[in-house]
Amino acid sequence: DSQKQTVRPDTLAGSGQSGVDSQSQTVKRRQAGGSIGKEGWAERAQQAEEAQEGSDERARVLLDLLGARFELLFASGGADSSGGVGVLGRWSAVRLWWRTAWPLNLVIGDDAMRRYNSVFAFLLSVRFVQLQLQRAWLQPQSSLRGRRERERSRAAQARLRPLRALRAQMGFLVDALQFYLHADVLEPSWRQLSSRIQTSSDFEEVARAHEAYLGSLAVHIFRHVPEVCAALDSVLRSCACLCELLETAEDRAASASLGGNVSDGSYEPAEFEKIQAQFWVQSDFFLEFLRGAHSASPDASPHLAQLLMRIDFNGFWSGGDRYN
């Protein structure tokens, strides 16, 4: 197993630093329940309820409660499905550990936490890429200055159109995926699990319901097929790489508007073409998988039909128009 490093919750509420100490020793998980017992937990929960919403006191109490039951861990290595270590790889290394007390640990044990963390890391990566793509869309607004500067940088800005067009395609796909994950998978699955637990008085039935819930999550977020999992990870990596390339190109275009040499180029076309090709190939593979899975069992996968409709409602992705 990879080494894990503790990230205290209160460090995440500060100046935005990651809170990861690369020199930390291997984490030894404490006994379930942490340093706050049942009475202390109830007391802190009452304090949080009484504290003013949004106040520092409420935030402090909530962090104490989280710290008593949860640990945010960082698995060193941070390798993704391709073995690469980059921005996305570091995010995929984040782990959340919940110290459960008996008899809940019979339902949510080490294997369940591992599967939860697989879901957690994937959702975190998708959200991170979505925010990066949105930030890249806002970037051109800050690079445009006065009228004279815009005219001088027109040639440099024109060179960025292929990058912005690809960013728009990536943003559309990731937005559709993010909505599907939360609206069509997580929320309905959680409601179904909660309903089964509330109406059950049998421990074994609860355990079976929870196991079915984890299995359903893995299937519906596409982590059960290694090839599809690798394709999605590759799509997300392509998006992150384009955002970095676009940010660098925007900076160079901005310097061109101030008198820089536009002919030097704001980015390497070969690098862009590599990112574009990787995104197209892997996204096509993912869409083909969706079509095949839905065709094989259309009644059993209504959410896949909705995801396909959101992505390819006008035939843009299946008709080959995006290659032009």
Side-chain angles (χ1 to χ4, degrees):
D1 293 342
S2 59
Q3 301 247 330
K4 296 182 175 62
Q5 301 163 349
T6 302
V7 182
R8 287 181 53 81
D10 52 357
T11 64
L12 301 178
S15 59
Q17 299 297 322
S18 64
V20 178
D21 181 5
S22 60
Q23 304 300 324
S24 299
Q25 300 297 321
T26 304
V27 172
K28 295 182 179 179
R29 300 188 184 107
R30 288 169 284 178
Q31 294 296 321
S35 59
I36 301 180
K38 291 183 178 180
E39 296 79 7
W41 180 271
E43 181 181 352
R44 296 293 181 86
Q46 182 65 26
Q47 292 175 2
E49 186 71 22
E50 295 174 353
Q52 183 180 357
E53 185 174 356
S55 65
D56 292 341
E57 176 64 19
R58 183 183 179 91
R60 184 186 63 78
V61 174
L62 289 175
L63 285 173
D64 286 344
L65 291 173
L66 288 173
R69 290 292 178 89
F70 293 92
E71 284 179 342
L72 193 59
L73 308 175
F74 186 86
S76 62
D80 48 33
S81 61
S82 69
V85 180
V87 175
L88 208 57
R90 291 193 293 271
W91 280 103
S92 65
V94 176
R95 299 289 183 269
L96 186 66
W97 190 263
W98 182 28
R99 296 186 292 273
T100 55
W102 188 90
L104 192 56
N105 61 336
L106 300 178
V107 178
I108 307 179
D110 288 355
D111 180 66
M113 287 304 304
R114 178 187 59 79
R115 295 161 71 181
Y116 272 119
N117 273 309
S118 176
V119 175
F120 174 66
F122 176 63
L123 295 177
L124 189 59
S125 297
V126 173
R127 181 56 176 161
F128 168 75
V129 168
Q130 184 184 41
L131 291 175
Q132 288 293 94
L133 290 168
Q134 292 172 354
R135 179 173 175 268
W137 177 77
L138 293 173
Q139 187 70 21
Q141 310 298 326
S142 61
S143 66
L144 298 179
R145 294 173 172 82
R147 179 178 179 180
R148 180 181 301 176
E149 288 78 4
R150 287 197 299 269
E151 291 176 353
R152 292 176 60 182
S153 65
R154 184 171 300 171
Q157 294 294 331
R159 289 175 56 84
L160 300 181
R161 288 173 186 166
L163 277 73
R164 293 172 181 165
L166 183 60
R167 189 223 64 83
Q169 295 179 19
M170 290 176 168
F172 181 83
L173 179 64
V174 172
D175 285 346
L177 178 62
Q178 174 80 339
F179 185 87
Y180 161 81
L181 293 173
H182 288 271
D184 294 337
V185 177
L186 295 177
E187 185 63 26
S189 298
W190 174 251
R191 286 201 303 265
Q192 184 178 12
L193 175 64
S194 299
S195 176
R196 292 186 62 179
I197 291 176
Q198 291 173 2
T199 57
S200 175
S201 58
D202 181 68
F203 177 83
E204 294 296 333
E205 184 178 350
V206 170
R208 287 193 298 269
H210 181 254
E211 182 66 22
Y213 168 74
L214 287 177
S216 176
L217 283 186
V219 170
H220 288 102
I221 68 172
F222 318 115
R223 309 311 282 176
H224 65 304
V225 181
E227 295 80 5
V228 180
C229 180
L232 273 177
D233 290 344
S234 180
V235 167
L236 296 177
R237 284 196 308 274
S238 300
C239 296
C241 290
L242 180 76
C243 291
E244 293 180 355
L245 181 63
L246 185 56
E247 182 178 4
T248 302
E250 288 287 353
D251 291 340
R252 293 178 179 175
S255 67
S257 69
L258 298 176
N261 190 355
V262 179
S263 62
D264 289 343
S266 53
Y267 65 93
E268 291 292 336
E271 184 178 359
F272 166 71
E273 291 170 2
K274 180 180 178 181
I275 295 173
Q276 185 181 54
Q278 184 182 35
F279 173 74
W280 281 353
V281 169
Q282 299 300 336
S283 59
D284 282 347
F285 177 82
F286 175 60
L287 291 174
E288 283 300 319
F289 167 79
L290 292 181
R291 296 187 189 100
H294 176 61
S295 299
S297 55
D299 296 332
S301 56
H303 296 330
L304 292 185
Q306 296 177 14
L307 177 58
L308 281 169
M309 182 185 67
R310 293 191 192 101
I311 295 176
D312 199 29
F313 68 95
N314 59 356
F316 175 79
W317 294 80
S318 58
D321 293 339
R322 64 190 177 119
Y323 295 103
N324 299 321

